[in-house]
Amino acid sequence: MDHVPPPAEELALLDRELARLDARRMQLLTRRAWLLSVLQPPATPPAAPPGRPATAPFTPSSPSAAPVSPRSAQNVLLTLGGLLLTIAATAFTLVSWGQMGIGGRSAVLALVTVAALAAPAVLLRRGLPSTAESLGALALVLMVLDAYALHRVAAPDTGSLGFASAASAVLAALWAAYGLALGKLRLPLPIAVVSVQFTLVLWTWAVGAQASVFAGALLLTAALDCAIALRGKGVAVRATAVVGGCLSGSAGLLLALALSVTAGTPAAAVVPGALLLTGAAVALFGVWRAPKEFAVAGGLLAGLAVVAGVGGVLRAGAAEDWSVPVYLLCGPVLLTAVRAPLPRPAGQGVLWASGVVAAGSVLSAAPAVGMTLVGPVSRLTAVWSGVPDGRARGALGLEGMEWSQLSTAPVMLLAVAGLTGAAYRWWTWCVRMAGAVVSPGAAWRGAAGASALVLGWAGLLVLPVALDAPYTVTVAVQSVLVAALLAVTVRAVRRGADPVASAALVCAVVGAVSAGALSLAVEPATYGVFGALLVLFGAAAVGTRADAAPAARVARLMQAVPACAAVVCAMVLAGALGASLELATYRAAPLMLAVPTVTVLLGARLRGGPSALPVELTGAVAGAVAVAMAVPDAPFLALVLALCGVLAAGTAVRGERRPAAGYLAVVLFVLATWVRLSASDVSAPEAYTLPVTVPALVVGVLRRRRDPAASSWTAYGAGLAATLVPSLFAAWADPSWVRPLLLGVVALVITLAGARLRLQALLLLGGAVLAMDALHELAPYVIQVVGALPRWLPPALAGLLLLMVGATYEQRLRDARRLKDALGRMR
């Protein structure tokens, strides 16, 4: 049916007309409401029923925004007025000061200050709090200016820092008294808290005190802030004290920590340690009645300060590379917080501090673990080249690195592993002891067990490298660790998969990669390690097939991973065998095919098992590796492709693998045929492919007669591709016009037959070959034409094409959908 105008344009016209009707309806309703308001003035609206907001009567001229309240306008005006007066007073003091005598200057400032201090009391009695607040703020600024003027006039020879310290204390006392006297003013008391922050700090700066005295002044200021935060009057005062205490306390603790870390002797570290302990006491005092989040943070800060203070003294007397273990040794002392008389949130923070110390020590050991794991990768280009000096670091390529700072890594890792392992082993007792502070769930026990296993494995992995043990010892230790981890995995899966089993399996895989890469330095070690890994992972795959009911999905994964790892180990062994036999890479490819051969047989044996498909897919990867190895030699490549096709055909015998493996087998056989023809320099491949294509098409016709619903790809795809594709490659390399012409005619006939019979395989294969053949024949002429055109014309044509496609994008999209549907309906 033809539409005039087109449907899209007609839809747009309807939408515009409906929009105009809606706008006209709103105009009429507005006019009607205004007329009703003129004829019947609105009475007082009735009270809205409960649960429904009251609605105001409609008035066309009412503004959309509510008017500004008088109180808001008053506050804005007062704020601006107070700001201007403050600026004027400051300019008078700093700029115009020298134009008056000493008496005049003192009299003016004193008079203005007294007036500004007295005015808020009168204004508060008359009910003008906003005006009183503005003048009170002005009075506070004037008092600062009075202090500056006093220093310039009465005590010009006094040090600026010392005078500022005294002035801050006096002003804080005066402002506090003024704020308590006029309780309705909100600014004086918070400003007094701000002023007192500078008293001790400026005094220590003025007298040139040592850094430890400066840190003590900051901590005393923080203690005073804590007292104000606990006993202060009003939310603003307490909030100001909390902010000041956090800033002063943090600065004091950081300064004390820097002094403790840089102390060279235990005696020099005593004073910073005492300051850190004082800061911890101040933090606990400040959060004693604080909300939970602040209390936890305060407990965390206090715990870290205690460790830094005590550990700093012990560290100064120990060797430099044992600094981190000393701090780690102090961390477990914080666990006594479960019995200390602390609030529950603060106790939780102290326990978190113990965990932070342990985590920090583990992070300090991470570089050693990383170098141990990644080191063998740096020597992959020198496989079987031997081990320098026969030591572990030489095998890792780390013989020239300084290990003094990393020699304690195994100690820290094993110590933390022991603590977490003890918690996992005696979990019930730990929960009972910590019941007053924390109540961890069962998930925390699994995390503790997994952490203990990972850290213990990392510590034992690094130990031979830290000791620079012989190469054979290092390889043996890593292989034994893999065996132990797999044993833990099997045992944990049998008991019910948990985080410990997952951690053990991950560590086993990572450790196997490290041990395997390390063994590549020596040929006998390669066979020994990968052979042992093959047996270990195979045994683990068999062992994890036991009861998996508690966590079926995780247990299936834990069975599949060792099975796939065993296949990978077999691949490495096959490649090593080819290298030992001194075979060329392509000649060693058939050896690699032994791996997928075994996986095909295992897949049939494990039919329906959770590891069957992963094992077969890993074997397919081995087959792809064999194909890649055979690429340099075409005859061997054809042989390997044919053998892969045989394996795929053998897999297709099983019903659950038939669709995918069957198509893969056909593709591999066809590829093997093409490669073999190319390797034999056959100039007329049709002589070899047509005897295959004709019977294949006959079989396809018979198949379609017996099963009309069968796909055309299944019936005719392989037979047509066996001849069309080699002929297409031959036509592209043939300078004569006969072969391309004959191929084009045959492809055209196949394409028309596919369109007439609605067979997808014939249509697509014939059309693709016809297009490629035509492109080959027309390419020289197209190149000549393009070379004769101006250089600006191809981009212009491309841009025009894009504009046309964009303008008719919807229509092109519909055409593409129709084409897709038409192809989908074909067989």
Side-chain angles (χ1 to χ4, degrees), residues 440-479:
W444 285 97
R445 183 171 189 258
S451 301
L453 187 141
V454 173
L455 295 176
W457 164 74
L460 294 176
L461 184 74
V462 176
L463 184 60
V465 183
L467 299 176
D468 199 15
Y471 170 75
T472 54
V473 174
T474 305
V475 174
V477 168
Q478 293 198 11
S479 302

Short mmCIF file of all heavy atoms in Angstrom, two decimals, residues 440-479:
data_model
loop_
_atom_site.label_atom_id
_atom_site.label_comp_id
_atom_site.label_asym_id
_atom_site.label_seq_id
_atom_site.Cartn_x
_atom_site.Cartn_y
_atom_site.Cartn_z
N PRO A 440 32.84 -11.23 65.65
CA PRO A 440 33.02 -11.62 64.25
C PRO A 440 32.17 -12.82 63.88
O PRO A 440 31.92 -13.70 64.70
CB PRO A 440 34.52 -11.95 64.17
CG PRO A 440 34.88 -12.34 65.56
CD PRO A 440 34.02 -11.53 66.47
N GLY A 441 31.75 -12.86 62.61
CA GLY A 441 30.95 -13.97 62.12
C GLY A 441 31.80 -15.07 61.55
O GLY A 441 33.05 -15.04 61.58
N ALA A 442 31.12 -16.07 60.99
CA ALA A 442 31.84 -17.23 60.43
C ALA A 442 32.68 -16.84 59.22
O ALA A 442 33.71 -17.48 58.94
CB ALA A 442 30.84 -18.31 60.05
N ALA A 443 32.25 -15.81 58.46
CA ALA A 443 33.02 -15.41 57.28
C ALA A 443 34.42 -14.92 57.66
O ALA A 443 35.38 -15.11 56.92
CB ALA A 443 32.28 -14.31 56.52
N TRP A 444 34.52 -14.30 58.86
CA TRP A 444 35.84 -13.83 59.30
C TRP A 444 36.78 -15.00 59.57
O TRP A 444 37.99 -14.89 59.38
CB TRP A 444 35.69 -12.96 60.54
CG TRP A 444 35.14 -11.61 60.25
CD1 TRP A 444 33.85 -11.21 60.35
CD2 TRP A 444 35.88 -10.48 59.78
NE1 TRP A 444 33.72 -9.89 59.97
CE2 TRP A 444 34.96 -9.42 59.61
CE3 TRP A 444 37.21 -10.25 59.48
CZ2 TRP A 444 35.34 -8.16 59.17
CZ3 TRP A 444 37.60 -8.99 59.04
CH2 TRP A 444 36.67 -7.97 58.89
N ARG A 445 36.23 -16.11 60.03
CA ARG A 445 37.09 -17.28 60.27
C ARG A 445 37.66 -17.81 58.95
O ARG A 445 38.84 -18.15 58.85
CB ARG A 445 36.30 -18.38 60.97
CG ARG A 445 37.15 -19.60 61.32
CD ARG A 445 36.39 -20.57 62.20
NE ARG A 445 37.28 -21.61 62.70
CZ ARG A 445 37.34 -22.84 62.21
NH1 ARG A 445 36.55 -23.19 61.20
NH2 ARG A 445 38.17 -23.71 62.73
N GLY A 446 36.81 -17.88 57.92
CA GLY A 446 37.31 -18.31 56.62
C GLY A 446 38.37 -17.36 56.07
O GLY A 446 39.38 -17.79 55.50
N ALA A 447 38.16 -16.04 56.28
CA ALA A 447 39.15 -15.07 55.81
C ALA A 447 40.47 -15.23 56.56
O ALA A 447 41.56 -15.13 55.98
CB ALA A 447 38.61 -13.65 55.99
N ALA A 448 40.38 -15.51 57.88
CA ALA A 448 41.61 -15.72 58.65
C ALA A 448 42.36 -16.95 58.16
O ALA A 448 43.59 -16.94 58.02
CB ALA A 448 41.27 -15.85 60.14
N GLY A 449 41.63 -18.05 57.91
CA GLY A 449 42.29 -19.25 57.41
C GLY A 449 42.93 -19.05 56.06
O GLY A 449 44.07 -19.49 55.82
N ALA A 450 42.21 -18.37 55.14
CA ALA A 450 42.78 -18.12 53.81
C ALA A 450 44.00 -17.22 53.90
O ALA A 450 45.00 -17.44 53.21
CB ALA A 450 41.71 -17.50 52.91
N SER A 451 43.93 -16.19 54.76
CA SER A 451 45.08 -15.30 54.92
C SER A 451 46.28 -16.04 55.47
O SER A 451 47.42 -15.85 55.01
CB SER A 451 44.71 -14.14 55.84
OG SER A 451 43.62 -13.40 55.33
N ALA A 452 46.05 -16.90 56.47
CA ALA A 452 47.16 -17.67 57.04
C ALA A 452 47.81 -18.55 55.98
O ALA A 452 49.06 -18.65 55.90
CB ALA A 452 46.66 -18.51 58.21
N LEU A 453 47.00 -19.19 55.15
CA LEU A 453 47.56 -20.08 54.13
C LEU A 453 48.36 -19.30 53.09
O LEU A 453 49.48 -19.68 52.72
CB LEU A 453 46.43 -20.85 53.46
CG LEU A 453 46.85 -21.95 52.49
CD1 LEU A 453 45.95 -23.16 52.63
CD2 LEU A 453 46.79 -21.45 51.06
N VAL A 454 47.81 -18.18 52.61
CA VAL A 454 48.49 -17.39 51.58
C VAL A 454 49.81 -16.82 52.12
O VAL A 454 50.86 -16.89 51.46
CB VAL A 454 47.58 -16.27 51.07
CG1 VAL A 454 48.33 -15.34 50.13
CG2 VAL A 454 46.36 -16.85 50.35
N LEU A 455 49.77 -16.26 53.33
CA LEU A 455 50.98 -15.66 53.89
C LEU A 455 52.03 -16.71 54.22
O LEU A 455 53.23 -16.49 54.03
CB LEU A 455 50.60 -14.85 55.13
CG LEU A 455 49.70 -13.64 54.88
CD1 LEU A 455 49.32 -12.98 56.19
CD2 LEU A 455 50.40 -12.64 53.98
N GLY A 456 51.58 -17.86 54.73
CA GLY A 456 52.55 -18.93 55.01
C GLY A 456 53.22 -19.43 53.74
O GLY A 456 54.44 -19.66 53.71
N TRP A 457 52.41 -19.60 52.67
CA TRP A 457 53.00 -20.02 51.40
C TRP A 457 53.98 -18.97 50.87
O TRP A 457 55.08 -19.30 50.41
CB TRP A 457 51.89 -20.26 50.38
CG TRP A 457 52.37 -20.31 48.97
CD1 TRP A 457 53.05 -21.32 48.37
CD2 TRP A 457 52.22 -19.28 47.97
NE1 TRP A 457 53.33 -21.00 47.06
CE2 TRP A 457 52.83 -19.77 46.80
CE3 TRP A 457 51.63 -18.03 47.97
CZ2 TRP A 457 52.86 -19.01 45.63
CZ3 TRP A 457 51.66 -17.28 46.81
CH2 TRP A 457 52.27 -17.77 45.66
N ALA A 458 53.62 -17.69 50.98
CA ALA A 458 54.51 -16.63 50.49
C ALA A 458 55.81 -16.59 51.29
O ALA A 458 56.90 -16.41 50.73
CB ALA A 458 53.80 -15.28 50.56
N GLY A 459 55.70 -16.76 52.62
CA GLY A 459 56.91 -16.75 53.43
C GLY A 459 57.84 -17.90 53.09
O GLY A 459 59.07 -17.71 52.97
N LEU A 460 57.31 -19.11 52.94
CA LEU A 460 58.16 -20.25 52.59
C LEU A 460 58.69 -20.13 51.16
O LEU A 460 59.77 -20.64 50.86
CB LEU A 460 57.35 -21.54 52.74
CG LEU A 460 56.93 -21.89 54.17
CD1 LEU A 460 56.05 -23.12 54.18
CD2 LEU A 460 58.15 -22.10 55.06
N LEU A 461 57.94 -19.47 50.28
CA LEU A 461 58.40 -19.28 48.90
C LEU A 461 59.61 -18.36 48.85
O LEU A 461 60.55 -18.58 48.07
CB LEU A 461 57.26 -18.71 48.06
CG LEU A 461 57.51 -18.53 46.56
CD1 LEU A 461 57.49 -19.88 45.86
CD2 LEU A 461 56.45 -17.61 45.95
N VAL A 462 59.60 -17.32 49.68
CA VAL A 462 60.69 -16.33 49.65
C VAL A 462 61.90 -16.81 50.45
O VAL A 462 63.02 -16.35 50.21
CB VAL A 462 60.15 -14.98 50.20
CG1 VAL A 462 61.26 -13.95 50.28
CG2 VAL A 462 59.03 -14.48 49.32
N LEU A 463 61.69 -17.71 51.39
CA LEU A 463 62.76 -18.11 52.30
C LEU A 463 64.02 -18.60 51.56
O LEU A 463 65.14 -18.14 51.89
CB LEU A 463 62.24 -19.18 53.26
CG LEU A 463 63.21 -19.64 54.34
CD1 LEU A 463 63.63 -18.48 55.22
CD2 LEU A 463 62.58 -20.76 55.18
N PRO A 464 63.96 -19.52 50.59
CA PRO A 464 65.20 -19.94 49.92
C PRO A 464 65.89 -18.80 49.18
O PRO A 464 67.13 -18.76 49.13
CB PRO A 464 64.72 -21.03 48.94
CG PRO A 464 63.40 -21.47 49.47
CD PRO A 464 62.79 -20.27 50.09
N VAL A 465 65.12 -17.89 48.64
CA VAL A 465 65.74 -16.77 47.91
C VAL A 465 66.40 -15.82 48.89
O VAL A 465 67.49 -15.29 48.63
CB VAL A 465 64.66 -16.05 47.06
CG1 VAL A 465 65.30 -14.93 46.25
CG2 VAL A 465 63.97 -17.04 46.15
N ALA A 466 65.74 -15.56 50.04
CA ALA A 466 66.34 -14.68 51.04
C ALA A 466 67.65 -15.27 51.57
O ALA A 466 68.60 -14.54 51.85
CB ALA A 466 65.36 -14.44 52.17
N LEU A 467 67.71 -16.58 51.70
CA LEU A 467 68.93 -17.24 52.17
C LEU A 467 69.90 -17.53 51.04
O LEU A 467 71.00 -18.03 51.31
CB LEU A 467 68.56 -18.55 52.88
CG LEU A 467 67.67 -18.42 54.13
CD1 LEU A 467 67.31 -19.80 54.65
CD2 LEU A 467 68.35 -17.58 55.19
N ASP A 468 69.51 -17.25 49.80
CA ASP A 468 70.31 -17.57 48.61
C ASP A 468 70.73 -19.04 48.62
O ASP A 468 71.92 -19.39 48.49
CB ASP A 468 71.54 -16.67 48.53
CG ASP A 468 72.13 -16.64 47.12
OD1 ASP A 468 71.43 -17.08 46.17
OD2 ASP A 468 73.27 -16.19 46.96
N ALA A 469 69.71 -19.91 48.77
CA ALA A 469 69.96 -21.35 48.81
C ALA A 469 70.37 -21.86 47.44
O ALA A 469 70.20 -21.18 46.42
CB ALA A 469 68.69 -22.06 49.29
N PRO A 470 70.88 -23.08 47.36
CA PRO A 470 71.20 -23.66 46.04
C PRO A 470 69.97 -23.77 45.15
O PRO A 470 68.83 -23.87 45.63
CB PRO A 470 71.78 -25.03 46.41
CG PRO A 470 72.27 -24.88 47.80
CD PRO A 470 71.35 -23.92 48.47
N TYR A 471 70.22 -23.81 43.86
CA TYR A 471 69.12 -23.84 42.88
C TYR A 471 68.24 -25.06 43.07
O TYR A 471 67.01 -24.96 43.05
CB TYR A 471 69.72 -23.80 41.48
CG TYR A 471 68.73 -24.07 40.38
CD1 TYR A 471 67.80 -23.11 40.01
CD2 TYR A 471 68.71 -25.31 39.73
CE1 TYR A 471 66.88 -23.36 39.00
CE2 TYR A 471 67.80 -25.57 38.72
CZ TYR A 471 66.89 -24.59 38.36
OH TYR A 471 65.98 -24.84 37.37
N THR A 472 68.84 -26.23 43.26
CA THR A 472 68.06 -27.46 43.41
C THR A 472 67.17 -27.40 44.64
O THR A 472 66.03 -27.86 44.61
CB THR A 472 68.99 -28.67 43.49
OG1 THR A 472 69.94 -28.45 44.56
CG2 THR A 472 69.74 -28.87 42.19
N VAL A 473 67.67 -26.82 45.72
CA VAL A 473 66.85 -26.69 46.93
C VAL A 473 65.67 -25.77 46.67
O VAL A 473 64.53 -26.04 47.10
CB VAL A 473 67.72 -26.17 48.09
CG1 VAL A 473 66.86 -25.89 49.32
CG2 VAL A 473 68.81 -27.16 48.43
N THR A 474 65.89 -24.67 45.99
CA THR A 474 64.81 -23.73 45.70
C THR A 474 63.72 -24.37 44.85
O THR A 474 62.53 -24.24 45.14
CB THR A 474 65.38 -22.49 44.97
OG1 THR A 474 66.44 -21.93 45.75
CG2 THR A 474 64.30 -21.45 44.78
N VAL A 475 64.13 -25.09 43.81
CA VAL A 475 63.14 -25.77 42.96
C VAL A 475 62.39 -26.83 43.76
O VAL A 475 61.16 -26.97 43.62
CB VAL A 475 63.84 -26.38 41.74
CG1 VAL A 475 62.86 -27.21 40.92
CG2 VAL A 475 64.44 -25.28 40.87
N ALA A 476 63.09 -27.56 44.59
CA ALA A 476 62.43 -28.60 45.38
C ALA A 476 61.45 -28.00 46.36
O ALA A 476 60.33 -28.52 46.55
CB ALA A 476 63.49 -29.43 46.12
N VAL A 477 61.83 -26.90 47.00
CA VAL A 477 60.92 -26.25 47.97
C VAL A 477 59.65 -25.78 47.27
O VAL A 477 58.54 -26.00 47.76
CB VAL A 477 61.64 -25.08 48.67
CG1 VAL A 477 60.65 -24.22 49.44
CG2 VAL A 477 62.70 -25.61 49.61
N GLN A 478 59.79 -25.15 46.12
CA GLN A 478 58.60 -24.66 45.42
C GLN A 478 57.71 -25.82 44.96
O GLN A 478 56.48 -25.72 45.03
CB GLN A 478 59.02 -23.80 44.24
CG GLN A 478 59.68 -22.49 44.65
CD GLN A 478 59.69 -21.48 43.53
OE1 GLN A 478 59.04 -21.65 42.49
NE2 GLN A 478 60.43 -20.39 43.73
N SER A 479 58.30 -26.90 44.52
CA SER A 479 57.49 -28.04 44.09
C SER A 479 56.78 -28.68 45.27
O SER A 479 55.59 -29.06 45.18
CB SER A 479 58.39 -29.07 43.40
OG SER A 479 59.05 -28.52 42.28
#
